[in-house]
Amino acid sequence: MRWKLIILSSLIVSFVSASAWFVLANFIFHAPLFLNSNWLYLQIFVLILVITAVSTYIYRHTATRRKTQAFLTSILTIFFVFALLFGFNFIANSAF
């Protein structure tokens, strides 16, 4: 397996998507990150879109065990995104 590719792509994509959600929710719309249910559907849609894109990238750039590596990338990206979002939310609530 190509562990460096899987972990690095999951980290990069999760950091970019979590940062974008944090900026949109807190600085542009002045809303709490998880409490506003109107934006929750958009966040879930973006998360699914991002995970599909990174999994497709991993699937196309690996030769063996493609499905396993794409699935592992999806799970890692979900974990990293939610960890970053909870971390950003905790930092934002404690700082302000």
Side-chain angles (χ1 to χ4, degrees):
M1 282 203 194
R2 301 176 83 182
W3 288 103
K4 290 179 187 176
L5 179 67
I6 291 171
I7 293 173
L8 188 63
S9 62
S10 295
L11 282 173
I12 290 171
V13 168
S14 61
F15 183 75
V16 168
S17 62
S19 299
W21 286 355
F22 179 74
V23 168
L24 283 174
N26 286 331
F27 296 117
I28 295 176
F29 299 113
H30 304 290
L33 196 56
F34 291 111
L35 299 178
N36 192 353
S37 63
N38 295 334
W39 291 104
L40 185 63
Y41 299 117
L42 177 64
Q43 291 173 354
I44 291 172
F45 175 73
V46 170
L47 178 63
I48 291 170
L49 187 65
V50 165
I51 289 171
T52 304
V54 74
S55 297
T56 303
Y57 176 80
I58 294 296
Y59 183 82
R60 298 297 298 161
H61 287 84
T62 55
T64 58
R65 298 184 193 146
R66 288 182 169 194
K67 292 179 183 176
T68 305
Q69 292 183 35
F71 178 73
L72 185 60
T73 304
S74 301
I75 298 300
L76 282 174
T77 305
I78 290 170
F79 175 74
F80 289 146
V81 164
F82 283 121
L84 285 169
L85 286 175
F86 284 122
F88 285 157
N89 198 21
F90 177 75
I91 290 170
N93 288 337
S94 66
F96 300 109

